[in-house]
Amino acid sequence: MEFVLHTHDEVTVVRLAGRLDGTGSATFERDVEPRLAEGALRVVLDLAELEYLASAGLRVLFKLAKRSAAARGGLWLCSARPAVRTVLDVAGVSRIIPLLETEAEALSVARG
């Protein structure tokens, strides 16, 4: 799993690429979560380049959503490919974490 992290007007955007499976989730927890814990209250995960999402990846998403809510922030997902979107829908993620079509739309919502 690869990622690029940047900030737009106090919203942190993380672009994920590759596979968010057991190995990718470990990478996310080791490399991304600590950077987000440093004060990123509003986070957008851009899933446009995410090819695969496993249950370990879902766990990471739920954990991040819980942390964001506890910090009175928010988490938004965007640009999911059809296969990834199916996993998110079947797992009921979209009932908990907003899933938007584009990064621009997610940024607009995250900015409030």
Side-chain angles (χ1 to χ4, degrees):
M1 198 230 12
E2 298 174 12
F3 69 93
V4 175
L5 190 139
H6 61 279
T7 302
H8 285 283
D9 299 325
E10 298 183 14
V11 178
T12 301
V13 177
V14 183
R15 290 190 177 121
L16 301 176
R19 300 171 59 89
L20 195 53
D21 52 13
T23 303
S25 295
T27 300
F28 188 94
E29 289 179 313
R30 181 188 70 232
D31 298 337
V32 179
E33 278 188 13
R35 293 172 71 179
L36 297 176
E38 293 174 354
L41 297 177
R42 293 179 282 164
V43 178
V44 170
L45 295 183
D46 185 330
L47 309 178
E49 298 300 319
L50 190 67
E51 299 167 1
Y52 179 77
L53 177 63
S55 60
L58 292 170
R59 181 185 55 78
V60 167
L61 296 179
F62 286 127
K63 182 178 171 184
L64 184 56
K66 184 176 179 179
R67 183 197 61 80
S68 295
R72 298 185 187 255
L75 175 65
W76 296 266
L77 307 176
C78 68
S79 307
R81 293 177 176 199
V84 171
R85 185 177 191 102
T86 298
V87 173
L88 293 168
D89 290 342
V90 169
V93 172
S94 58
R95 291 189 311 247
I96 299 165
I97 307 168
L99 176 57
L100 301 149
E101 292 299 318
T102 66
E103 183 180 307
E105 184 180 1
L107 282 169
S108 177
V109 172
R111 288 180 184 130

